[in-house]
Amino acid sequence: MRPIPTALRTLALVAFATVAIIPVYWMALSAFRPNAVVMQWPPAVLPGSFSLEAMRSLFAETPILSWLATSLAVTVGSTLLTVTIATLAGYALSRSRSRLTGLAGYAILIAKMLPGTLLIVPLYVMFFQAGLLDGRQAVIAVILANCSFATPFATWMMKAFFDGIPKEIEEAALIDGCSPFTAMLKTVLPAAAPALAAVTIYVFIVAWNDFLFARTFLPGGETMTIAAASTQFLGEVEMAWNKVMAVALIAAAPVFAMFLILERQFVAGLTGGTH
Amino acid sequence: MRPIPTALRTLALVAFATVAIIPVYWMALSAFRPNAVVMQWPPAVLPGSFSLEAMRSLFAETPILSWLATSLAVTVGSTLLTVTIATLAGYALSRSRSRLTGLAGYAILIAKMLPGTLLIVPLYVMFFQAGLLDGRQAVIAVILANCSFATPFATWMMKAFFDGIPKEIEEAALIDGCSPFTAMLKTVLPAAAPALAAVTIYVFIVAWNDFLFARTFLPGGETMTIAAASTQFLGEVEMAWNKVMAVALIAAAPVFAMFLILERQFVAGLTGGTH
Amino acid sequence: MSGLEIEGLRKAFGSTPVLRDVSFEAAAGSFVVIVGPSGCGKTTLLRSLAGLETVDRGAIRLDGRDISDLTPAARNIAMVFQNYALYPTKSVRENIAFGLRQRRTPRAEIARRIADACEALQIGHLLDRRPSQLSGGQRQRVAIGRAMVRDPALFLFDEPLSNLDAGLRNDLRIEIKRIHNKMGTISVFVTHDQLEAMSLADILVVMRDGRIEQIGAPYDVFRKPVNKFVAGFIGTPAMHFLAAHVEDGHAVLGGGSRVEIPSLAAVPNSTLVEIGVRPDDVSLVGQESGAIAGLVDVTQELGTNRLVRVNTVAGELSVLQSAHEPRPAGPVGVRLSPQRALVFLRPSGEILG
Amino acid sequence: MSGLEIEGLRKAFGSTPVLRDVSFEAAAGSFVVIVGPSGCGKTTLLRSLAGLETVDRGAIRLDGRDISDLTPAARNIAMVFQNYALYPTKSVRENIAFGLRQRRTPRAEIARRIADACEALQIGHLLDRRPSQLSGGQRQRVAIGRAMVRDPALFLFDEPLSNLDAGLRNDLRIEIKRIHNKMGTISVFVTHDQLEAMSLADILVVMRDGRIEQIGAPYDVFRKPVNKFVAGFIGTPAMHFLAAHVEDGHAVLGGGSRVEIPSLAAVPNSTLVEIGVRPDDVSLVGQESGAIAGLVDVTQELGTNRLVRVNTVAGELSVLQSAHEPRPAGPVGVRLSPQRALVFLRPSGEILG
């Protein structure tokens, strides 16, 4: 039986592919074309006219290496901080029986919905008052902001995963001679490896791609992340579109790489199963 | 048994609360204070010094009503478009047995990870070439961009929910005398109401809060969304911080309201159960 | 012909055959139970009857009409699913009425039929609830009611009781049989539980690997299985098998015990066989001559009876004895009842005679 | 004293009492099965023995030592969980060795004990696999092995077989009993399945609502239940109850049938009672005088036997008869066996005499 007609299904999938896949395809294509080909109308939709012109001028004319370094600092800092908090809080929420837990879970659900735009104004004011927005130490502000943004969902992911690890496993360890702390360390944490990987990827991607916090808090120039820098050519009168696409592609590459490497853990972590 | 010490749990929850809740609290507090109180150091952390000064000057001195109207147009458009595509594609993916489905599911998982920053450059180029970035019609560009960003996760949510509705329900309807199409319409769609609500909220929030696309595609001035407008005061030499917080609060209010109204459906939709 | 005829059904998923030439007939009013281990094709067979699967070859005739190519809606059948498959957003009343509404049954007639179903299934007080507010047993009652009001020519049951606990399962089994007896239509019931199958069936269909192994009345299948698979699958506690070879009309078991079995009289010497023994066809005796020597392993009280597992020189055996008797321990003798023992050929597993 | 003594255990979750003064003793080597409907407190009792729950009052003594306040690690117990609770990231070998490693058992000793467990449970070929690569039955074998190698003073089983299917459940039941017999420690086994409880127990503990209703050998509990709850809970097929009142040493049933029951001789007239009748204590006879008149409702084949449900004037009864006999239908008579009938007082449910 086919409960829905094939035509409808095909249509839906094509619509989906159009909105989700084509922009990425177009970016990859344009980054390796001469600007003239990119600008022609109607556009050349099939691959062809390979050129490294954009890449070469990028490394020659922009502080792209410094942007990448800033991105790396922000990303590593945000990831370490967030994963630590999310793991501890997620475990605490998952294993606690008290009323407080229900409330905290509720708070997370709300906080999960808070977008960066909502956070940025109060964070800006707080960081400014704390003197964090001067020069290079603004990187710390970006890290804290990313953490503030990513912690709720990361905590929720860890909690959901810990929820899927039966508490009987720790109880078996207690009976087998462990203390509560070693029981967690030796039985639950190893089992949570897929969730840790998933949360790491999530925070990595959020932090690496952050545009809002970096653009708002960082002073600019060389001290800018690659993701934020990638948009700064937009709207110029004479745009080198292939160059813009090349920056965007370089900014996107680590995300794709990370995803492809850790994809299996990530899926396991998302689906939350221990088996 | 308490598998983890109370101290550790408390610490984790406090860390969580700090990063996730305090900024919101601070924003709500500051929006209703005189600027002098907001700026004082050390900050006054408890409520007090109520004032409507910021709100009043906001409505008097900025085109805030036009910003709200633009936000509304962008949000309604994005939501309608995305929910329609996500529902059809999610149902098709959930009920199809073909190989194609596995591939499409995989594509969604990847696309889910693509942040707005990655999309923006190719989208800008495409929209520019299509002539969508002139004046007020740029609102359409923002709608398409939001849809491109939100569709993968929305589709995944709908698919996950449809997956939780046993196909036997449609089969029972077939046996009870329905055609495949009426079976879906009369039995599956009503059951998917919580998922529709959840996806609607998700897209609504994404679109309402979008900063990146609005800031990049919209011409500015009166044609700007409230979320994007809320940050444009940051970095001014003489900041009226309470005014900034007030804009941020107004920008956030509909999200909170929507969340509180539809919260029950949303949770049901997230957890994906029909029962 | 009035009744259900299935002729040469074949179906494959990709290159995996799931139904290989399945044929049987059932007269009007019979209760057919299809039983077999998981993956034997029983559910696919049922779904083919419903029209939820298309078959590659073969015909399904209901009351003389070929329904093989009809849509599920046009077959005049009703089905009860394992997971109940109630419409989650509709009330119990709307669930039951849905099929009748789709067929534009008059309002008064719908009300009358719902009232009948409520009486038969004691679900009258649930009519305004949603499925999510019901227990598993209540949900399945409603699903049975939804099938019943349609007054179909064929009732299909796809393991309807396997999500329920033991007590409820037994109650609902009796109610299903009662409703079947009252309505007089044909029912086809799929289960993997052989005791459930035995207790419900007029016609028992035992399947394995997409084929029908045996069809018959439950007691006939129990007493005269056609092969070792059926013998081992049907019956609780399960049959034990002892390897043996034939010598002058006797079965010579491991350890050398000889048992004279009537059906072996004409079998050539040295034929390899297996002797199938049900726990109620053997008895514990002293360590006397002629008995198979063994050691009591584990005893299990069952209430009126007791099941004694004995490790004998010929293999493992279970013996059912009255719980009145003293609990055995240590070395014992086991005596088979030669009239009741079944003989299977090795390695084919076919029954002898 | 050697053995397990439990004295006056009480526990409440909030204001809901789950254990109300639970006491029993079990000698060394006994197999105790705690059985009862869900929510009766049986699992809480077991977890209290393990130290996973603290009790509000009462004492637990194991071989004379009060273990009530010890940590789970210090109690020298082992436990098998319903969901197996294997360590998911460790191999089977590491799972089994974990408890011994934590206790710094020498390497050679660990290897020896693992070898023993592998032999007893036939899991030698699984040692290098992960739990996720095992079937449910294999996982539970490994969990039993993990408990076994610890050589504890007390084995705890928390419904270990309820996630397995019927055949496997029976096999593992026998293996658990075998291992228990071999090791000679005390086992406490919790289940909601009364047949499993009967078949495993030396000492059967029937619980309801946080209290122990009856303790005894399985056959004694089956034949001499202390009240209607235990009588109805223990035994398959289940006991039926017929309302009656006493008149001159007879029970007068609904419809007026009179049955002389020895234990009623000294009971005052008009006392309200219920007569408990197991299906194997009644027989079908013709519609002769003295028999209870009834109509056959549903018959269920069970293999060697057949269960016949009869609607009588006195109430619903089930009759177990040999499947050899012709299948009954229509009006019949039912005769009780007065010696086997149990009499319960109404409304208390206490047994008479």
Side-chain angles (χ1 to χ4, degrees):
Chain A
M1 287 309 304
R2 289 188 168 161
I4 47 159
T6 309
L8 182 62
R9 193 169 62 211
T10 309
L11 188 77
L13 292 179
V14 166
F16 169 72
T18 310
V19 296
I21 304 295
I22 285 185
V24 181
Y25 169 75
W26 191 241
M27 173 175 68
L29 213 61
S30 304
F32 294 104
R33 279 178 166 174
N35 201 32
V37 178
V38 177
M39 293 188 64
Q40 81 194 16
W41 189 261
V45 294
L46 296 176
S49 325
F50 183 83
S51 152
L52 282 177
E53 161 195 322
M55 286 291 170
R56 244 183 256 116
S57 76
L58 209 58
F59 280 88
E61 297 161 21
T62 67
I64 188 165
L65 291 176
S66 168
W67 293 341
L68 283 169
T70 309
S71 277
L72 197 69
V74 164
T75 304
V76 170
S78 307
T79 305
L80 286 180
L81 188 61
T82 309
V83 169
T84 307
I85 295 178
T87 304
L88 293 174
Y91 186 70
L93 287 173
S94 171
R95 288 304 190 253
S96 154
R97 283 190 201 156
S98 76
R99 287 270 169 97
L100 195 69
T101 315
L103 271 179
Y106 199 81
I108 286 189
L109 249 177
I110 293 182
K112 235 175 93 177
M113 306 311 305
L114 301 183
T117 329
L118 199 158
L119 287 175
I120 192 158
V121 173
L123 285 178
Y124 188 94
V125 174
M126 287 161 70
F127 293 153
F128 187 88
Q129 293 191 336
L132 267 179
L133 296 186
D134 299 330
R136 286 206 153 261
Q137 66 187 338
V139 166
I140 296 173
V142 178
I143 289 175
L144 289 176
N146 280 329
C147 178
S148 179
F149 174 76
T151 294
F153 184 60
T155 303
W156 179 82
M157 272 174 92
M158 289 308 300
K159 175 185 179 300
F161 197 87
F162 284 129
D163 283 347
I165 301 180
K167 72 174 187 339
E168 282 84 357
I169 285 176
E170 285 140 278
E171 294 180 344
L174 291 180
I175 290 174
D176 264 349
C178 290
S179 71
F181 185 70
T182 53
M184 186 234 177
L185 213 67
K186 292 188 177 181
T187 64
V188 176
L189 258 197
L196 282 172
V199 169
T200 302
I201 299 176
Y202 165 70
V203 185
F204 181 95
I205 289 174
V206 164
W208 182 270
N209 290 288
D210 160 62
F211 166 88
L212 182 59
F213 299 132
R215 204 64 188 283
T216 312
F217 297 152
L218 292 181
E222 295 203 347
T223 310
M224 184 51 65
T225 62
I226 180 92
S230 69
T231 64
Q232 69 187 22
F233 304 107
L234 297 181
E236 284 174 4
V237 184
E238 279 291 330
M239 257 194 287
W241 284 352
N242 59 345
K243 215 167 109 188
V244 178
M245 291 293 206
V247 188
L249 193 66
I250 290 174
V255 175
F256 272 111
M258 183 129 194
F259 185 77
L260 290 178
I261 293 167
L262 295 176
E263 170 258 331
R264 219 169 304 165
Q265 275 89 333
F266 184 73
V267 174
L270 267 190
T271 54
T274 47
H275 303 302
Chain B
M1 287 308 303
R2 289 187 169 164
I4 48 160
T6 309
L8 181 63
R9 194 170 60 210
T10 309
L11 188 78
L13 291 179
V14 166
F16 169 72
T18 310
V19 297
I21 305 295
I22 285 185
V24 180
Y25 170 74
W26 190 241
M27 172 175 69
L29 213 60
S30 304
F32 294 105
R33 277 179 167 173
N35 202 33
V37 179
V38 178
M39 293 189 65
Q40 82 192 20
W41 190 260
V45 294
L46 295 176
S49 324
F50 183 84
S51 150
L52 283 177
E53 161 196 321
M55 288 289 169
R56 243 183 257 115
S57 76
L58 210 58
F59 280 88
E61 296 160 22
T62 67
I64 190 168
L65 290 175
S66 168
W67 293 340
L68 284 168
T70 309
S71 278
L72 197 69
V74 164
T75 304
V76 170
S78 305
T79 306
L80 286 180
L81 188 61
T82 309
V83 169
T84 307
I85 294 178
T87 303
L88 292 175
Y91 185 71
L93 288 173
S94 171
R95 288 305 190 254
S96 155
R97 285 187 200 156
S98 76
R99 288 269 168 96
L100 196 69
T101 313
L103 270 178
Y106 198 83
I108 285 188
L109 249 177
I110 294 184
K112 235 175 93 178
M113 307 309 306
L114 301 182
T117 330
L118 199 156
L119 287 174
I120 193 161
V121 173
L123 284 178
Y124 187 95
V125 175
M126 287 160 71
F127 292 153
F128 186 88
Q129 292 190 337
L132 268 179
L133 297 186
D134 300 329
R136 286 207 153 260
Q137 66 187 335
V139 167
I140 296 173
V142 178
I143 289 176
L144 290 176
N146 280 328
C147 178
S148 178
F149 174 76
T151 295
F153 184 62
T155 302
W156 180 83
M157 274 173 89
M158 288 309 299
K159 175 185 178 303
F161 197 87
F162 284 130
D163 282 348
I165 300 180
K167 71 173 186 345
E168 282 85 355
I169 286 177
E170 284 141 279
E171 294 180 343
L174 291 181
I175 290 175
D176 264 349
C178 290
S179 70
F181 185 70
T182 53
M184 186 233 177
L185 213 67
K186 292 189 176 177
T187 64
V188 177
L189 259 196
L196 281 171
V199 169
T200 301
I201 299 176
Y202 165 71
V203 184
F204 181 95
I205 290 174
V206 163
W208 183 270
N209 290 289
D210 160 62
F211 167 88
L212 183 60
F213 298 132
R215 205 65 187 281
T216 312
F217 297 153
L218 292 180
E222 297 203 346
T223 309
M224 185 51 65
T225 62
I226 181 90
S230 70
T231 64
Q232 69 188 24
F233 304 108
L234 297 182
E236 284 175 6
V237 185
E238 279 291 331
M239 258 195 285
W241 284 351
N242 58 349
K243 212 168 113 190
V244 176
M245 292 291 204
V247 187
L249 193 68
I250 290 174
V255 176
F256 273 110
M258 183 129 193
F259 186 77
L260 291 178
I261 294 168
L262 295 176
E263 170 258 331
R264 218 169 304 164
Q265 275 90 333
F266 185 72
V267 173
L270 267 189
T271 52
T274 46
H275 302 303
Chain C
M1 189 202 124
S2 162
L4 176 68
E5 289 171 277
I6 290 168
E7 206 183 296
L9 287 199
R10 284 165 200 273
K11 180 175 181 66
F13 287 133
S15 62
T16 317
V18 282
L19 295 179
R20 323 181 189 220
D21 196 9
V22 170
S23 304
F24 68 86
E25 294 183 9
S30 29
F31 201 114
V32 181
V33 179
I34 304 171
V35 69
S38 63
C40 72
K42 55 188 188 302
T43 291
T44 304
L45 175 54
L46 194 78
R47 291 171 57 83
S48 304
L49 296 186
L52 298 171
E53 303 278 356
T54 52
V55 292
D56 299 337
R57 225 187 303 175
I60 303 166
R61 278 186 290 275
L62 185 59
D63 295 334
R65 184 176 64 127
D66 188 331
I67 61 168
S68 322
D69 295 325
L70 299 183
T71 65
R75 291 186 181 205
N76 193 22
I77 53 167
M79 184 156 168
V80 177
F81 294 85
Q82 180 173 1
N83 63 2
Y84 323 129
L86 297 178
Y87 309 122
T89 51
K90 299 189 198 304
S91 71
V92 166
R93 188 193 308 276
E94 292 162 345
N95 261 281
I96 298 178
F98 186 72
L100 298 173
R101 287 243 174 86
Q102 287 298 115
R103 290 179 158 75
R104 313 207 179 287
T105 313
R107 207 170 270 272
E109 174 69 13
I110 294 181
R112 198 185 57 72
R113 293 206 195 172
I114 292 181
D116 283 357
C118 287
E119 205 199 307
L121 290 154
Q122 294 144 38
I123 49 176
H125 58 297
L126 307 175
L127 281 177
D128 295 319
R129 298 211 196 145
R130 292 288 175 94
S132 57
Q133 298 167 305
L134 306 180
S135 70
Q138 290 172 328
R139 285 181 205 192
Q140 204 52 297
R141 272 169 209 270
V142 172
I144 294 170
R146 179 173 67 176
M148 202 180 140
V149 294
R150 294 262 321 284
D151 196 13
L154 181 61
F155 259 116
L156 303 176
F157 295 90
D158 186 12
E159 310 216 22
L161 308 179
S162 56
N163 287 356
L164 306 175
D165 67 25
L168 216 51
R169 200 150 61 220
N170 198 46
D171 291 349
L172 264 173
R173 206 183 285 170
I174 287 172
E175 296 201 26
I176 286 176
K177 194 64 188 279
R178 234 178 236 157
I179 289 172
H180 168 85
N181 289 345
K182 202 175 95 183
M183 301 194 57
T185 46
I186 304 176
S187 296
V188 180
F189 188 107
V190 159
T191 179
H192 65 272
D193 176 342
Q194 54 85 22
L195 196 60
E196 181 165 293
M198 291 270 293
S199 75
L200 278 172
D202 300 321
I203 303 174
L204 187 62
V205 179
V206 184
M207 285 186 72
R208 177 171 59 159
D209 287 345
R211 282 200 188 82
I212 292 180
E213 294 279 322
Q214 189 166 5
I215 302 183
Y219 187 65
D220 293 340
V221 174
F222 178 76
R223 272 296 161 209
K224 295 169 210 144
V226 297
N227 57 30
K228 189 185 164 186
F229 167 76
V230 175
F233 188 74
I234 300 287
T236 312
M239 184 178 272
H240 285 263
F241 297 93
L242 303 177
H245 66 272
V246 179
E247 228 176 83
D248 304 332
H250 290 67
V252 181
L253 302 170
S257 319
R258 297 167 66 93
V259 184
E260 185 171 1
I261 295 180
S263 60
L264 289 181
V267 176
N269 280 358
S270 304
T271 306
L272 296 179
V273 295
E274 275 181 291
I275 312 296
V277 190
R278 294 202 188 275
D280 41 359
D281 296 339
V282 283
S283 48
L284 283 186
V285 295
Q287 296 172 267
E288 59 202 38
S289 90
I292 306 168
L295 260 174
V296 171
D297 177 12
V298 168
T299 60
Q300 297 182 271
E301 298 290 336
L302 304 178
T304 311
N305 298 311
R306 176 190 297 134
L307 194 64
V308 183
R309 169 87 57 141
V310 185
N311 287 326
T312 75
V313 287
E316 214 167 51
L317 277 175
S318 285
V319 182
L320 198 70
Q321 62 168 200
S322 166
H324 285 294
E325 299 184 37
R327 207 160 167 164
V332 291
V334 179
R335 192 177 287 283
L336 313 186
S337 144
Q339 286 75 28
R340 306 284 284 277
L342 300 177
V343 181
F344 302 95
L345 294 171
R346 270 193 289 164
S348 73
E350 293 304 306
I351 199 165
L352 189 83
Chain D
M1 186 202 125
S2 161
L4 176 68
E5 289 171 277
I6 290 168
E7 206 183 295
L9 287 198
R10 284 167 200 270
K11 178 170 181 70
F13 288 130
S15 60
T16 317
V18 282
L19 295 180
R20 325 180 188 220
D21 195 10
V22 170
S23 306
F24 68 86
E25 295 183 9
S30 28
F31 201 113
V32 182
V33 179
I34 303 171
V35 68
S38 64
C40 72
K42 54 190 192 296
T43 291
T44 305
L45 175 53
L46 194 79
R47 290 172 57 85
S48 304
L49 297 184
L52 298 173
E53 303 278 356
T54 53
V55 292
D56 300 337
R57 227 185 303 175
I60 303 165
R61 279 185 289 275
L62 185 58
D63 296 335
R65 184 176 63 127
D66 188 331
I67 60 170
S68 321
D69 294 327
L70 299 183
T71 65
R75 292 187 181 204
N76 193 21
I77 53 167
M79 183 156 168
V80 177
F81 294 85
Q82 180 175 359
N83 63 3
Y84 323 128
L86 298 178
Y87 308 123
T89 52
K90 300 189 197 302
S91 71
V92 166
R93 187 193 310 277
E94 291 162 347
N95 260 281
I96 298 177
F98 186 72
L100 299 172
R101 288 244 174 86
Q102 288 298 116
R103 288 179 160 74
R104 312 209 181 286
T105 313
R107 207 170 271 271
E109 175 68 11
I110 293 180
R112 200 185 55 73
R113 292 206 197 173
I114 291 181
D116 283 356
C118 286
E119 205 198 309
L121 290 154
Q122 295 145 39
I123 51 176
H125 59 296
L126 307 175
L127 281 177
D128 295 319
R129 299 211 196 148
R130 292 289 176 92
S132 57
Q133 299 167 303
L134 305 181
S135 70
Q138 290 173 329
R139 285 181 203 190
Q140 202 53 295
R141 274 168 209 272
V142 171
I144 294 169
R146 180 174 68 177
M148 201 179 141
V149 294
R150 293 260 323 282
D151 198 12
L154 181 61
F155 260 116
L156 303 175
F157 295 90
D158 184 13
E159 311 215 23
L161 307 180
S162 58
N163 287 356
L164 305 176
D165 66 27
L168 217 51
R169 198 150 63 220
N170 197 47
D171 292 350
L172 264 171
R173 208 182 284 170
I174 288 173
E175 295 200 26
I176 286 175
K177 195 63 189 279
R178 235 177 234 157
I179 289 172
H180 169 86
N181 289 345
K182 203 175 95 185
M183 300 193 61
T185 48
I186 303 177
S187 297
V188 180
F189 188 106
V190 159
T191 180
H192 65 272
D193 176 344
Q194 54 85 22
L195 196 60
E196 181 166 291
M198 291 269 295
S199 74
L200 279 170
D202 300 323
I203 302 173
L204 187 61
V205 179
V206 184
M207 285 187 71
R208 177 172 59 159
D209 286 345
R211 282 199 187 84
I212 293 180
E213 294 279 323
Q214 188 167 3
I215 304 182
Y219 188 64
D220 293 341
V221 174
F222 178 76
R223 271 296 161 208
K224 294 166 212 144
V226 297
N227 57 30
K228 188 185 167 189
F229 167 76
V230 175
F233 189 73
I234 301 287
T236 312
M239 184 179 271
H240 285 262
F241 298 94
L242 303 177
H245 67 271
V246 179
E247 227 177 85
D248 305 332
H250 290 67
V252 182
L253 302 171
S257 319
R258 298 167 66 92
V259 185
E260 186 171 2
I261 295 179
S263 60
L264 290 181
V267 176
N269 280 359
S270 304
T271 306
L272 295 179
V273 295
E274 276 180 291
I275 311 297
V277 190
R278 293 203 188 275
D280 40 359
D281 296 340
V282 281
S283 47
L284 283 186
V285 294
Q287 297 171 264
E288 60 202 37
S289 91
I292 306 168
L295 259 176
V296 171
D297 177 12
V298 169
T299 60
Q300 298 181 272
E301 298 290 335
L302 304 178
T304 311
N305 299 312
R306 174 190 299 134
L307 193 65
V308 183
R309 170 86 60 140
V310 185
N311 287 326
T312 76
V313 287
E316 215 168 50
L317 277 175
S318 286
V319 182
L320 198 69
Q321 62 169 199
S322 166
H324 286 295
E325 299 186 38
R327 206 159 169 167
V332 291
V334 180
R335 192 177 288 282
L336 313 186
S337 144
Q339 285 74 29
R340 306 284 283 279
L342 301 175
V343 180
F344 303 94
L345 293 172
R346 273 191 288 164
S348 73
E350 292 304 307
I351 199 165
L352 187 85

